[in-house]
Amino acid sequence: MNRRRVVITGMGVVSPLGCKLDDFWGRLVAGTSGIRNIQTFNVSDYTSQIAGEVIEFNPEDFVEKKEARRMDPFSLYGLAAAKMAVNDSGIDFSACDTTRAGVLVGSGIGGLQILISQMRTLDSRGPSRFSPFMIPQMITNIIAGQIAIEYGLKGPNFCITSACASATHCLGESLRMIERGEADIMVAGGTEGAINELGVGGFCAMRALSTRNDEPTRASRPFDMDRDGFVIGEGAGLLVVEEYDHAVKRGANIYCELAGYGRTCDAYHITAPDSEGEGGARGMKLAYEDAGLNADEIDYINAHGTSTKLNDKGETLAIKTALGENNARKVAISSTKSMTGHLLGAAGGVEAIASALIIRNGIIPPTINLENPDPDCDLDYVPNTAREAKVNACLSNSLGFGGHNATLCFKSIA
């Protein structure tokens, strides 16, 4: 089968570092932390009281006020990011065959804020006062439907929920559908809005979150010896993924090529990664080989890099296995979660955007707060300061609870 080339032509981001592409990129390169004390609810009884909240976001810039009140934050963020991505792409769907344009957007958790509000309604007013919109507001697939309705897109449409690998799986499966001729255009990525009492409380109960509450901007510290857990974040990263000739014909601005995809499973533990990183290593190798590359042709890796003890050590081992020891020591690696926190099901979408911008701009964002390197994490993580570098090919890793591993490979347009 002749595989069609696939490219990125539009991107939209809602993040703790901003809700405009230029703001997000500028702060990423500057090493700015988006982690703050949580403002949206009372966290005095929580062990972790910090997060990467979205603060520069006005829902009414994207949807009418009445409609915004009916939407969970994850849907609002996702629809906003989709609109920004479509606008960035310059695509006119009225001039396209919309039966060959689809949407594949994931969320790890979905409408958790709606669940909280409706449970409060049940407790205070009884079951007769449930909102008739409760179910469609909550379900993880609703955002893919909303985006399709917005633009009249009648092609493939669904969501993938694979915890923190959700967005990366959505982008990878969009790549597969386009290269096989099942679609010409996909709006793909992930969205999450779980900074609330249940989301933070659940991760606190797992002891997964950093408790460095007195210095939030220094709390997310991937690969550092003093890391003590991840910092929860929220937002959305949506991309317009398009068949190359289709994009060229309409004169699209092409960021880079989405060239390879690997997905594996650890089959090891419901939350802990395989300590040897075997599954993640296979995923990376599948991705760069799928792109027609060798290990020594990878210039950069956007690490999953959560700032947890197990992930960072295991991912370091996985990179060494996937690339070989010598190549692993030459490749630049960074974790943008050091600045955004962990956006859960949206993480892979936001990090795909970062990867595309790295290829476009020739600058690698740093891993901030890397002050006391862990001896078990002994690769080049671009500590604390951005680095100018020509990046022709890069990988972006996402690992999710349940042992889900997904890696994308991006290439510059030759």
Side-chain angles (χ1 to χ4, degrees):
M1 182 183 71
N2 292 325
R3 289 173 47 174
R4 306 194 308 168
R5 291 178 73 187
V6 180
V7 293
I8 305 299
T9 58
M11 304 191 294
V13 66
V14 175
S15 84
L17 295 182
C19 300
K20 295 179 181 178
L21 211 55
D22 288 345
D23 291 342
F24 168 75
W25 176 246
R27 291 164 184 168
L28 207 62
V29 170
T32 303
S33 174
I35 311 303
R36 305 168 182 85
N37 295 106
I38 293 172
Q39 302 296 312
T40 50
F41 65 98
N42 184 352
V43 293
S44 58
D45 292 332
Y46 288 73
T47 54
S48 183
Q49 302 171 1
I50 54 180
E53 291 182 301
V54 169
I55 60 172
E56 297 178 2
F57 180 73
N58 180 8
E60 293 173 44
D61 290 341
F62 303 97
V63 297
E64 294 182 359
K65 186 175 182 179
K66 182 179 179 181
E67 184 66 18
R69 288 200 301 266
R70 294 176 177 174
M71 296 174 69
D72 186 89
F74 97 100
S75 290
L76 283 169
Y77 297 155
L79 186 57
K83 288 187 173 184
M84 288 187 280
V86 171
N87 182 64
D88 183 48
S89 76
I91 197 162
D92 178 5
F93 283 118
S94 69
C96 300
D97 180 354
T98 53
T99 66
R100 296 187 56 77
V103 185
L104 185 44
V105 177
S107 178
I109 297 177
L112 199 56
Q113 186 61 53
I114 294 297
L115 175 62
I116 292 170
S117 66
Q118 290 298 292
M119 283 302 297
R120 287 174 177 158
T121 296
L122 175 64
D123 288 342
S124 64
R125 303 174 69 187
S128 66
R129 305 302 297 179
F130 277 133
S131 167
F133 297 102
M134 179 181 71
I135 298 302
Q137 287 172 327
M138 285 178 52
I139 52 181
T140 54
N141 66 296
I142 198 63
I143 182 58
Q146 288 170 319
I147 295 167
I149 291 166
E150 178 71 25
Y151 295 106
L153 308 183
K154 299 180 179 180
N157 187 288
F158 56 101
C159 79
I160 295 173
T161 295
S162 52
C164 304
S166 298
T168 300
H169 277 132
C170 287
L171 285 159
E173 297 305 322
S174 293
L175 164 66
R176 288 285 181 261
M177 285 187 282
I178 294 173
E179 68 183 6
R180 292 172 180 169
E182 298 170 9
D184 296 324
I185 311 160
M186 295 294 294
V187 179
T191 182
E192 203 78 86
I195 299 178
N196 51 48
E197 294 93 325
L198 282 182
V200 175
F203 284 115
C204 282
M206 293 177 64
R207 299 182 181 179
L209 299 180
S210 172
T211 58
R212 198 184 284 257
N213 298 317
D214 56 341
E215 42 186 3
T217 62
R218 300 180 66 228
S220 184
R221 44 199 316 112
F223 308 108
D224 189 86
M225 189 69 178
D226 300 321
R227 66 193 185 275
D228 71 328
F230 77 84
V231 177
I232 190 171
E234 63 182 352
L238 274 287
L239 299 88
V240 175
V241 184
E242 191 169 352
E243 193 271 327
Y244 176 75
D245 289 335
H246 190 280
V248 170
K249 186 178 293 186
R250 69 178 185 84
N253 169 42
I254 296 174
Y255 285 97
C256 66
E257 183 172 357
L258 177 53
Y261 172 43
R263 70 278 217 224
T264 66
C265 183
D266 288 347
Y268 175 74
H269 190 273
I270 60 170
T271 57
D274 180 351
S275 59
E276 299 300 315
E278 184 273 337
R282 280 190 296 114
M284 282 183 265
K285 191 168 187 289
L286 287 169
Y288 69 69
E289 288 181 345
D290 188 45
L293 299 174
N294 297 315
D296 61 359
E297 295 178 280
I298 300 302
D299 302 307
Y300 168 73
I301 298 174
N302 188 295
H304 189 55
T306 58
S307 187
T308 62
K309 292 292 186 183
L310 293 179
N311 175 92
D312 297 0
K313 178 181 177 181
E315 191 172 9
T316 298
L317 289 171
I319 291 169
K320 292 177 180 178
T321 301
L323 301 187
E325 185 85 20
N326 289 337
N327 292 321
R329 295 200 176 281
K330 296 174 184 176
V331 72
I333 305 161
S334 64
S335 172
T336 48
K337 289 183 180 72
S338 61
M339 292 170 276
T340 65
H342 191 349
L343 275 63
L344 310 178
V350 172
E351 289 157 17
I353 290 172
S355 298
L357 291 172
I358 288 164
I359 288 176
R360 163 65 70 88
N361 296 319
I363 304 174
I364 297 174
T367 304
I368 67 168
N369 300 320
L370 184 45
E371 299 162 343
N372 183 19
D374 185 339
D376 289 327
C377 302
D378 56 352
L379 299 178
D380 176 9
Y381 304 110
V382 191
N384 301 310
T385 304
R387 180 184 303 167
E388 291 188 8
K390 177 67 174 174
V391 176
N392 291 310
C394 70
L395 302 177
S396 181
N397 292 335
S398 295
L399 317 177
F401 285 172
H404 308 294
N405 307 304
T407 297
L408 298 172
C409 183
F410 300 89
K411 296 197 306 188
S412 60
I413 291 293

